[in-house]
Amino acid sequence: MSVSRRTRSIARVAADVLITVGALVLLFAVYQLWWTNVQAARATASARTDIVASWEAATSPVVTVSPPADAGSASGSESGSSEAPVPDTPETQAVPPIGKGFALMSIPRLADSVWEMPVIQGVSADELAKGIGHYPDTALPGQIGNFATAAHRATNGEPFKDFDRLKKGDRVVVETQDGWFVYELEKDKIVLPSDTWVIDPVPGDPGAIPTEALITLTTCNPRWASYERWIWWGTLVETRDRTQGPPAELAERGEA
Amino acid sequence: MYAWIWSHLPGPTAVRVLVAVLLVAVVVAVLFLFVFPWLEQVLPFGDVTVDALAGNNSVP
């Protein structure tokens, strides 16, 4: 019943290979499930600090005396050109460079994961590791058109980890330097990764001139794979400038 | 392989254990800092965007 030396050495090499492969797979799982989130948490906090600092730097020299309420037109954005600096309207926002954070997103339903989450221009891995990515060629917050975003649902901070809990009617608050834009989610759909029409200015109607300010959230589906995309669309329901203060939705944290 | 490495580590057992732990730490660091970030880009687990240029730009 003696086993030959040759058989023993083959078994030993096989054992080493199996141990190594097992350790590598295990370590990769640790990397994905833990380490990417540790790094993303750090990057997100730093991006949030940068965004708030850039807002403060940009707004501090501006005189914020509100002009006397003359018999204004119904839309407040049409004020006279000779006035002191008028706050930017959504339509005049400067397009941020790729990699720059320019907004904070809060979703009361997902308050554990999406609360003052940085929105970064661009949707490549570098941007998505810092927060929520903004498709560069789509509308900016509050603009007519489609403010289209993407975020991880698993690993790398996973802001959209509870995407399946979103419901019709949920609010999404996007804060920019100029104020707050409140969107209400209306419908969702699971599509293929190639269905880029979902981020069109008028989703499903290519070439149409948009008349509404929409938001689109995209993430992977199923959560731990990604052969589909889960999409939520919403429309702008409220706009508040800095003088009006934050919307009621931002007081809801903790109830979600 | 592991037996061979062990037999070639210098010093008494205590030193060997220390060196072995250091070697493992170095390997793990290389994996986490270089190998896995690359592997993550190649694997499709993190793709969250709709993508007209499928395969062209990196969009996990």
Side-chain angles (χ1 to χ4, degrees):
Chain A
M1 289 293 285
S2 72
V3 182
S4 73
R5 274 180 75 101
R6 185 181 159 76
T7 309
R8 274 176 195 271
S9 73
I10 289 173
R12 197 168 281 148
V13 169
D16 280 358
V17 168
L18 289 175
I19 288 169
T20 307
V21 170
L24 283 175
V25 170
L26 213 61
L27 279 171
F28 186 63
V30 170
Y31 169 83
Q32 284 269 276
L33 301 182
W34 173 70
W35 183 246
T36 63
N37 288 334
V38 170
Q39 293 209 299
R42 205 178 300 152
T44 296
S46 148
R48 185 184 294 120
T49 308
D50 289 350
I51 290 168
V52 174
S54 76
W55 290 349
E56 283 166 358
T59 53
S60 53
V62 175
V63 184
T64 54
V65 177
S66 51
D70 55 332
S73 52
S75 64
S77 59
E78 293 290 314
S79 37
S81 56
S82 63
E83 302 262 331
V86 175
D88 287 344
T89 66
E91 305 305 325
T92 61
Q93 288 172 86
V95 176
I98 296 289
K100 182 175 166 50
F102 63 95
L104 297 176
M105 182 187 285
S106 301
I107 305 179
R109 171 82 63 190
L110 309 183
D112 291 341
S113 45
V114 187
W115 199 263
E116 298 186 343
M117 200 60 173
V119 180
I120 314 288
Q121 180 77 336
V123 288
S124 63
D126 287 347
E127 287 89 56
L128 294 173
K130 296 182 202 163
I132 291 164
H134 172 242
Y135 290 86
D137 295 332
T138 66
L140 290 167
Q143 283 180 343
I144 298 294
N146 191 351
F147 172 60
T149 63
H152 281 293
R153 192 170 166 203
T155 75
N156 286 286
E158 50 196 25
F160 286 170
K161 64 178 178 178
D162 293 325
F163 208 72
D164 53 327
R165 288 175 52 203
L166 289 173
K167 291 188 174 70
K168 186 178 186 307
D170 281 354
R171 299 297 174 97
V172 178
V173 180
V174 180
E175 181 181 2
T176 70
Q177 186 179 317
D178 303 321
W180 293 265
F181 301 95
V182 183
Y183 295 88
E184 183 173 308
L185 297 183
E186 288 186 336
K187 60 176 178 176
D188 69 314
K189 189 172 175 64
I190 289 170
V191 302
L192 293 174
S194 55
D195 283 331
T196 54
W197 60 266
V198 302
I199 61 168
D200 282 349
V202 182
D205 193 354
I209 307 293
T211 57
E212 278 187 308
L214 303 181
I215 191 172
T216 302
L217 313 176
T218 71
T219 194
C220 61
N221 191 66
R223 187 177 173 205
W224 296 105
S226 57
Y227 48 84
E228 295 169 331
R229 299 292 180 270
W230 195 342
I231 316 297
W232 264 102
W233 290 285
T235 52
L236 185 69
V237 292
E238 190 185 1
T239 300
R240 299 176 69 86
D241 65 27
R242 285 280 155 196
T243 59
Q244 291 170 302
E249 283 78 5
L250 288 188
E252 289 177 19
R253 185 171 198 180
E255 295 173 19
Chain B
M1 181 180 76
Y2 296 113
W4 182 89
I5 293 173
W6 180 257
S7 66
H8 284 73
L9 290 177
T13 304
V15 176
R16 288 182 178 198
V17 168
L18 197 70
V19 174
V21 168
L22 279 174
L23 283 175
V24 169
V26 167
V27 169
V28 169
V30 168
L31 287 173
F32 272 47
L33 294 175
F34 304 106
V35 180
F36 289 161
W38 166 82
L39 185 62
E40 190 183 24
Q41 305 297 317
V42 180
L43 295 173
F45 301 142
D47 290 349
V48 296
T49 58
V50 290
D51 184 6
L53 312 164
N56 188 7
N57 57 348
S58 62
V59 283

